[in-house]
Structures are given as structure tokens and as C-alpha cells.
Amino acid sequence: MTSEQGGRSSHLNSGAGQGSGGVRRRDDAGRERNRSTGRNRTETAPGQRTRVADPARLVAFEVLRAVSADDAYANLVLPTRIRKHGLDRRDAGFATELTYGALRAQGTYDAILAKCVDRPLSELDPAILDALRIGVHQLVAMRVPTHAALDQTVGLARAVIGAGPSGLVNAVLRKVAAKELPQWLAELTDGLTDEVKIASITHAHPEWIVRSLRQALVAHGRDVSEITALLEADNAAPVVNLVALPGVGNLAEALEAGFTPGELVADSALSSGGDVGRLDSVRDGTVRVQDAGSQLVARALAAVMISSEKPDGEERWLDLCAGPGGKAALLAALAAEQEAWLLANEPAPHRAKLVSQALAAVPADSWTVRTGDGRDIGKEHPEAFDRVLVDAPCTGLGALRRRPESRWRRKLSDVAELGPLQRELLNSALAAVKPGGVVAYVTCSPHVAETIAVVEDVMRKRDDLELLDAGAALDAVSISGALGAGNATSAVPSHRMMAQLWPHIHQSDAMFLALIRKN
């Protein structure tokens, strides 16, 4: 968790009056505090207190409520709330940092709050708890003056929850404000010797995720000491990645708007902020928002050498789990360039519509969308495809920086529940691919049980499969040509052939790739 500038000066200084005889001072961390001997802004008479919810803080509160109460996804709700409340670019940036920061660090903030509330947090009204989380993030991780964070968060609570709860919010946040984040972390970890527990509190990840990521690092030949850098990368604000669909779009507009060329993969661009929806090329679908890791695995499958027979001269490709259509759009564009054809399969009808929309910018004769269970395709279309992508449903532990709420929503039991589906989908893909063709098994998770274990379990039961060097395939489609995503030092031969991207190394989502050829 890092201090980040958020919002315009009205957010930083709201409630910044000196008060009766007060003077402004800054503590060692540079935060402005009111050390007046008289009343400060949080002790003013009821008639003088803030009673209006600041729009940016209100947006953050509404998103946290949607996530908590409705299992919504912050990245989908936040843009709609920003537009609803008419936030300008600076206020939208403040609301975004406040929302994502409070969600990412929820576990650590709840541990701090538990020290400041006189009852179990489970007994608090969920709306009050969300307001408190917003307040804690401002106090310990943003450059918002203490008095402003207190005054505005109490005002938010008073406006949207009630006068009574606002008193509780005020009292609790004043206790939080008494210490800086390093002091709180030292108190919360005092006496602990378990490195996983310490990392869980310090870097705001559930213990089971910390343990799983440590195991994944080791399984892919990396040092377990990298866990700190990996957890910190999960907590960093993600950069927006764009891809221009090959043969269809270009990045000229994005580059003119301030985006910079991507450093990992061709036809990509990066930006740390701004509304990409303002770009005409994004609105018309020829340029898409897509993480560089997703671009790399799709391009690796499209570029790998195959030896399957193509009697009609046209390759047939399959995206087995295509929704919502990001990788499918890139694959369809690549297929069109190579005079191939893509079948994009998605079981959920509403997501299948999203796939069709995503592919609309690509020539229509290069793709078809199918609505159906991917587990049936191997039986219905045996040995019909030259290249098959299995972007398997997974826990999404590789995209925690983009989906801040998912670390608290996911459970260890989800891994076991998803395992059978992942294996069934991979088996279906292997039945659907032609001899000499290649299947790419991909997950946005580095968890060993969702990656290496799935591939090895499926391959162990067959003698007609061969692992290709996925690390070399990624290198071949990357700009640098040396991603280092493979595992060359592993004592297990099969592990050396699988590849894993990492947020702290590649600045991408933690995408896993295995390439399997049917002989």
C-alpha cells in the first residue's frame, strides 16, 4: 500500500480551516494535522459539521456497497457511478484510487478497525463498515490531510447513513488517525513468526493466497523471496493496456492521446490513466483494452508451428471458452490475416452476445460464434481444429491488481471446485484438435492446482500428446524476445516446457500457458 496523490485540492484540503486559535502543522509523513487547543473540525458544533457527501467519496462508497451487497465487480460499477455523478478527470482519479485502494487493502484495514471498534466488525452495519474502510484508506495510504479525511468521511456517513452512525464513524476514525500505517502494521504483526501471516497482514492478501503464490513461484523455478515483490505488484495501480487488432485497427489515435507504445508485445499501448472510452478506435472495437499477458498467449498460439493436415488450405481455430471476447477478438483478427477461420464458443447466451460484439470489427467471414457447452465440442467436432485455445475458468489470482475485490471473495475451496471443469474442458479441446494440431491451455492464475497439475493429470492418461516449449513460444511473439517466462532449471522435464508470466516481472497479469501438440 503506497501513498498516492488523489483528486484535486478540494479533496486534499476540504475542512482545512484552522479553527478557533488553531494552527496547521505537518507530521513526519507530511500530513497536515490540526493541533489547535480549541475545537477542530471534527469537534465543531453539530450545526457547523459537514452534512453533504463529497461526490468523489460518494462514488467510492456506492461502489463498495455494490461490491459488498450485490457481489458486483468494481471495474464494471465504477465507470457508471463516475458518469452518474458527473465527476471530472481529477475527481474521477480520486474516486478510483479511493475505491480500489479500500478494496485491495480491505483485510488489513479491517484488522486495524477491529482494534478501534468495541464490538466484532460482523456486528456493524455493512454500510458503516464500508464508510470506515474509505476513511481508513484516506488516513493511512493517501495524501489527504487528517482533518479533511475525518470531516469528509463523517459528512458522507451523515448524508447517506444517518447522524447516529456518523458519530461512530467519527470516533473510530479518530482512533485510526492516532497512528501511521507502519505503526499499525507493527502492532498487528507484533509477536508473529509465521512469514505467511505477516505477509498477509502487511500486503493485504488472504493467507491461503499468499501460501499459494509462494508455492507457484517455487514450482516455476523462482525464489520464494520474490513473494514480497509479487504481493506489492498486486497492490499497485494497474496500467491500462490497449491492443490494435491486426489488420483492422491502429494505435495512432491512442498515441496522439498520450498513450505510450507497449514494451512487451507489438500493436500494444499503455496508459496510467484517462478514459479510454473517449477514443473513437476503442468505441468502434478496432482497438481494445486487453492485458499484455492475454495478448501474448493468444499470439503464441497463433504463431506456433503445427503439422496438421489442411485439405482445403484453410486452418480452423477454436476458442473453447470465448466470453467475454477479448482473446477471441485478437485471435479472429490473427486468423483473418492468416486466411484461417475461428469458432468462438461460449456457453452463456448473454456472454455469447458480448463475444459477437467483440468480434464485430473483424471481417465476418473469419469467425462464427457458437453458444454451447465447451465440454461437448470434442464429441460433436472430433479432430476438426488446427489450433484450440482453452482459456479455462479459474480463480483469477493472476489479475488481483485489476479485480481488487476478488482476493476477499475467492476461497481456497474454489480451486478444488474448478479443477474438474478445467480438466473436462482440456480433454474436450484435445478431442477436438487434429493430429498435428496444438491446444493452448491458459489460465489467469499461477496456482499450481489450476495450471501444472491440470496439464500433467490430463497428459498422464494419454500417450499421443507432446508438450511444446511455451516459454520459447512467448519469446517468439514478444518485442524483447527474452521474457524469461519458462522454467529452464526445473528438475521435472514437463515443468520446463510450461510458462508463467508474473506481474512483478513482466508488468502483466499472471498468465499461465501450456502448449500441447497431439501426435
Side-chain angles (χ1 to χ4, degrees):
M1 291 169 288
T2 58
S3 297
E4 295 185 40
Q5 182 74 32
R8 59 189 181 192
S9 58
S10 62
H11 295 300
L12 300 181
N13 299 312
S14 179
Q18 295 181 14
S20 177
V23 293
R24 292 196 188 102
R25 297 180 184 175
R26 291 190 180 274
D27 59 19
D28 293 338
R31 290 191 178 84
E32 187 177 85
R33 294 185 183 275
N34 191 332
R35 302 291 189 183
S36 67
T37 56
R39 281 189 181 129
N40 63 32
R41 287 298 298 263
T42 62
E43 295 172 336
T44 51
Q48 297 174 296
R49 293 173 182 163
T50 299
R51 295 179 177 274
V52 179
D54 167 70
R57 291 175 173 88
L58 179 59
V59 165
F61 176 78
E62 289 180 352
V63 176
L64 262 65
R65 291 304 307 128
V67 170
S68 299
D70 305 324
D71 284 337
Y73 290 97
N75 66 319
L76 300 180
V77 177
L78 181 60
T80 64
R81 294 298 193 275
I82 287 174
R83 288 192 292 269
K84 173 185 174 183
H85 290 282
L87 301 189
D88 61 24
R89 183 172 182 176
R90 297 291 297 276
D91 285 357
F94 183 89
T96 299
E97 158 59 15
L98 188 51
T99 299
Y100 284 171
L103 287 172
R104 285 191 194 103
Q106 178 178 304
T108 299
Y109 293 168
D110 284 1
I112 293 173
L113 288 169
K115 295 279 189 178
C116 302
V117 179
D118 60 359
R119 71 196 78 167
L121 296 187
S122 60
E123 295 182 7
L124 287 179
D125 184 295
I128 295 175
L129 184 56
D130 281 335
L132 287 171
R133 290 163 174 162
I134 287 173
V136 175
H137 187 62
Q138 294 172 75
L139 288 168
V140 304
M142 294 180 74
R143 295 180 189 143
V144 178
T146 299
H147 60 84
L150 289 167
D151 187 62
Q152 292 298 319
T153 307
V154 171
L156 168 70
R158 183 178 292 111
V160 299
I161 305 175
S166 71
L168 171 64
V169 170
N170 180 42
V172 171
L173 291 183
R174 287 176 64 79
K175 293 180 182 178
V176 173
K179 300 174 185 175
E180 303 293 340
L181 181 58
Q183 294 173 292
W184 277 118
L185 294 178
E187 180 176 334
L188 293 172
T189 58
D190 184 40
L192 295 180
T193 58
D194 187 328
E195 293 182 359
V196 170
K197 289 184 179 180
I198 294 172
S200 173
I201 294 170
T202 304
H203 300 290
H205 284 65
E207 288 184 33
W208 76 269
I209 292 182
V210 176
R211 192 171 291 109
S212 299
L213 294 178
R214 285 167 59 98
Q215 294 169 349
L217 285 167
V218 173
H220 286 281
R222 310 205 68 89
D223 195 292
V224 72
S225 65
E226 292 183 30
I227 187 63
T228 298
L230 175 53
L231 297 177
E232 289 175 347
D234 277 350
N235 289 335
V239 172
V240 177
N241 285 217
L242 295 181
V243 58
L245 296 183
V248 177
N250 66 76
L251 296 171
E253 182 189 19
L255 296 176
E256 289 177 6
F259 282 70
T260 58
E263 299 176 354
L264 286 184
V265 59
D267 295 326
S268 67
L270 311 173
S271 174
S272 58
D275 180 11
V276 298
R278 73 184 187 278
L279 300 178
D280 291 336
S281 55
V282 172
R283 288 197 295 268
D284 66 24
T286 59
V287 173
R288 301 186 55 82
V289 175
Q290 186 175 63
D291 180 74
S294 295
Q295 298 177 44
L296 284 167
V297 296
R299 286 181 176 276
L301 173 61
V304 69
M305 294 292 294
I306 62 173
S307 56
S308 55
E309 295 183 6
K310 299 175 284 295
D312 56 1
E314 178 186 70
E315 286 189 13
R316 294 167 58 85
W317 299 3
L318 169 64
D319 185 345
L320 198 66
C321 312
K327 296 183 187 68
L330 179 53
L331 279 176
L334 292 168
E337 282 196 324
Q338 298 182 33
E339 298 184 344
W341 172 83
L342 174 73
L343 175 63
N345 178 78
E346 169 54 43
H350 71 283
R351 285 169 62 87
K353 291 181 180 179
L354 294 177
V355 176
S356 295
Q357 293 169 6
L359 272 62
V362 181
D365 59 355
S366 298
W367 56 270
T368 299
V369 175
R370 172 188 184 272
T371 303
D373 194 327
R375 291 171 292 186
D376 297 332
I377 287 186
K379 293 177 291 185
E380 297 176 4
H381 302 279
E383 299 189 344
F385 300 95
D386 301 276
R387 304 174 194 265
V388 181
L389 173 66
V390 185
D391 185 12
C394 67
T395 56
L397 300 187
L400 296 182
R401 60 197 182 126
R402 299 189 187 280
R403 302 188 181 102
E405 70 284 340
S406 63
R407 70 185 68 182
W408 312 114
R409 185 175 288 171
R410 282 296 189 185
K411 304 181 295 295
L412 179 58
S413 58
D414 294 338
V415 177
E417 291 174 4
L418 286 165
L421 174 61
Q422 292 161 349
R423 287 163 173 79
E424 289 171 5
L425 289 169
L426 180 52
N427 275 313
S428 179
L430 292 168
V433 74
K434 298 177 182 178
V438 174
V439 172
Y441 177 78
V442 172
T443 64
C444 189
S445 169
H447 198 298
V448 174
E450 299 189 273
T451 56
I452 293 172
V454 172
V455 174
E456 290 186 334
D457 284 353
V458 170
M459 293 189 65
R460 190 179 298 118
K461 300 172 183 177
R462 304 180 57 148
D463 59 5
D464 61 340
L465 304 176
E466 172 192 6
L467 276 175
L468 304 181
D469 190 338
L474 290 174
D475 286 345
V477 295
S478 70
I479 291 176
S480 70
L483 291 174
N487 185 4
T489 62
S490 175
V492 182
S494 61
H495 292 188
R496 293 198 293 267
M497 306 303 285
M498 305 183 209
Q500 180 69 58
L501 297 169
W502 299 100
H504 67 296
I505 297 171
H506 305 103
Q507 288 73 55
S508 72
D509 291 345
M511 303 296 298
F512 170 84
L513 173 65
L515 294 172
I516 309 170
R517 175 186 289 147
K518 180 191 285 185
N519 293 321

